[in-house]
Structure formats: C-alpha cells, structure tokens
C-alpha cells in the first residue's frame, strides 16, 4: 500500500443548528493523539456552521470543510458562497459534485470542474464526487459513467495534495445498500488508473480515493481495508460523534 494518509470525511448535509457544536466537541475530544497521528478527519457542516466549527476546531487536528462552492470568487450570485469565502471562514476543503447537487440542482461535469478549480484557487482540498445510479449500474454502465464524470469533473491543473476523489454509487447513498468491497476496489482501481493515465503515475499513486454510501461503524472496515480505498465520505453516520469516530478508528 502506498503512503497515502487515510481521510475520513463527514458530510452533514442539511443538518445542524447552533447546538451541534457540542457534537463537534465530542469529535474533537475523541480524535486522540494516536488516531490523529495516522489519519485525517474532516467535518463538513452546512455553511452556517463553518465559521464557528472552524473556530472550535482550531488547535485540534479536526479539519472543517464545506459541501459546495460557487466557481467565482465574488459577484452578483444571490445565495451562493465562494471558495474564497469558505477559506476565509476557516474551511480547508470543499465537497464538489455530490450526487445530491447533481440531481437537485442539475449540476453537470463542467460546473463541477469549475467548482473544483475554484477550490484549488482558494487553496482548498476539492473532494470531487463521482458515481453511477441504480439504473446505470443495472445497465452495466458503471465504468463508463465514472470515467466520464472523472474526465469531466476533475480540472487539468489538479495536484494530488488538493485533489480527493470520492466514489459514491448514488444507489448506496442513504439507502443502507452497499456494493461489495470487491466492487469498490474494482472501481477505485479504475479511477486510479485513469488519474495515472491523465496526470502521470506519481499523481495516480498519491491521489486519495474515498468510498461513500451507507458507511457505518459495522461495515466501515470492509471498505477501509480494501485495496485502493483511502478513506470514506460519510453522511448519516457522521452526525453522531461516536459513530463517526468508530468509523475513523477502522481506517488504521
Ligand atoms: P450516507 O451519505 O453515508 O448517508 O449514505 C453519504 C454521502 O452522501 O456522502
């Protein structure tokens, strides 16, 4: 296994009011010296909590990120938030191209790519999400869909230090259904080969590829120990510190 440091990322989605900082506190307390020496831990709350979470996590090893950004640095874009604003609020990473944004907001690969470029411009890690729907899986299009999204969504100027790819089969998100670890390894291998072919072998072996979709404490090990899996993007189970930390502990 190459020297890729595991990343466990929590995607809080549209959950969390001010009191949720207590849950973050529990994550910080539980992310002790031993675990934090081995893996990276990231919590991505809604926009409204980023600044406070970043202030709370300051001095700890827990990183705070966002779930989306606008491609532009500033401008007349009502309701949007730029990558520069996220960095200014203390975020270190941003998820782009999550399937819920692709589905709910009609985001396509070109827009996702522009958002990833914005993340890099602001010095943020971009977690670029790809993954097939149930229908695409049944039609045996997983490979084509993932490669097309990867090609379209990852910017040419990407470097391994700020690029993370998350393979999230859409049908596995929030459903309790998961692919086998063998299926995940196969798709991750495909992604790694595509990154190597496009950016060179060094970048291919350095780029972290996360699995996401119904990751829970009791199934996390099967994914996190699989070949070519460098961490997890966790939705529902990231909302409870105990579950999130239990998943993180499976990464070592
Ligand atoms: P889930 O969500 O863990 O609740 O399935 C994962 C995600 O959407 O990133």
């Amino acid at each position: 296994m190459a020297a890729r440091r595991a990343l466990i990322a929590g995607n809080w989605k549209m959950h969390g009011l001010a009191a949720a900082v207590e849950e973050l506190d529990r994550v910080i307390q539980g992310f002790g010296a031993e675990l934090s020496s081995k893996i990276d831990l990231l919590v991505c709350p809604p926009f409204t909590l980023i600044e406070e979470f970043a202030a709370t996590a300051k001095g700890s090893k827990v990183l705070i990120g966002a779930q989306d950004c606008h491609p532009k640095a500033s401008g007349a874009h009502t309701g949007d938030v730029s990558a520069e604003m996220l960095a200014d609020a203390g975020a270190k990473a941003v998820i782009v191209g999550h399937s819920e944004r692709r589905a709910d907001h009609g985001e396509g690969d070109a827009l996702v790519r522009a958002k990833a470029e914005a993340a890099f411009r602001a010095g943020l890690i971009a977690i670029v999400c790809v993954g097939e729907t149930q229908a695409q899986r049944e039609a045996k299009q997983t490979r084509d869909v993932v490669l097309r999204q990867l090609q379209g969504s990852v910017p040419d100027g990407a470097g391994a230090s700020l690029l993370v790819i998350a393979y999230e089969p859409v049908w596995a998100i929030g459903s309790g259904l998961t692919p086998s670890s063998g299926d995940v390894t196969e798709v991750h291998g495909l992604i790694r080969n595509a990154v190597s072919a496009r950016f060179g072998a060094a970048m291919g072996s350095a780029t972290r590829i996360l699995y996401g979709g119904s990751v829970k404490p009791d199934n996390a090990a099967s994914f996190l120990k699989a070949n070519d899996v460098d961490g997890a993007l966790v939705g529902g189970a990231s909302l409870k510190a105990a579950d999130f930390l239990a998943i993180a502990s499976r990464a070592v």
Side-chain angles (χ1 to χ4, degrees):
M1 165 98 186
R4 292 184 297 269
R5 205 175 146 86
L7 169 64
I8 304 296
N11 173 10
W12 279 30
K13 308 193 178 183
M14 198 170 72
H15 296 286
L17 302 175
V21 74
E22 291 171 20
E23 208 59 39
L24 175 68
D25 263 326
R26 286 191 271 275
V27 172
I28 293 167
Q29 296 313 317
F31 192 46
E34 171 145 20
L35 197 51
S36 64
S37 70
K38 295 186 180 136
I39 70 164
D40 293 336
L41 198 67
L42 171 72
V43 174
C44 301
F47 288 136
T48 47
L49 293 176
I50 289 173
E51 188 160 13
E52 189 183 354
F53 272 33
T56 302
K58 207 169 174 177
S60 82
K61 298 279 195 216
V62 175
L63 303 171
I64 303 302
Q67 303 168 18
D68 183 42
C69 67
H70 190 277
K72 299 261 173 63
S74 63
H77 303 287
T78 302
D80 280 313
V81 175
S82 72
E84 281 76 2
M85 291 168 177
L86 298 175
D88 191 44
K92 301 291 183 216
V94 57
I95 299 166
V96 295
H98 189 280
S99 63
E100 285 154 14
R101 296 218 50 97
R102 290 180 188 260
D104 298 353
H105 301 273
E107 295 191 5
D109 289 326
L111 179 59
V112 175
R113 176 191 286 235
K115 291 181 175 199
E117 275 165 359
F120 299 154
R121 186 185 67 221
L124 300 178
I125 291 171
I127 302 178
V128 179
C129 302
V130 298
E132 81 287 0
T133 64
Q134 179 74 44
Q136 289 165 333
R137 183 179 186 83
E138 281 164 10
K140 307 230 176 307
Q141 293 168 346
T142 299
R143 192 189 162 89
D144 290 349
V145 169
V146 167
L147 289 178
R148 189 179 66 231
Q149 289 181 336
L150 199 64
Q151 178 65 30
S153 298
V154 174
D156 288 332
S161 62
L162 290 182
L163 175 68
V164 173
I165 294 162
Y167 170 53
E168 296 208 306
V170 178
W171 53 273
I173 294 174
S175 64
L177 302 172
T178 55
S180 68
S181 57
D183 285 350
V184 172
T185 289
E186 196 179 319
V187 176
H188 281 220
L190 189 74
I191 293 171
R192 194 170 304 290
N193 286 341
V195 172
S196 295
R198 183 167 162 198
F199 296 101
M203 171 127 169
S205 68
T207 300
R208 293 186 286 187
I209 308 174
L210 314 184
Y211 167 73
S214 295
V215 176
K216 310 286 176 206
D218 62 356
N219 67 14
S222 72
F223 299 114
L224 294 170
K225 300 292 178 204
N227 268 348
D228 276 321
V229 177
D230 308 308
L233 180 53
V234 185
S238 71
L239 293 170
K240 285 272 162 284
D243 287 351
F244 190 48
L245 289 164
I247 290 168
S249 71
R250 308 289 197 270
V252 296

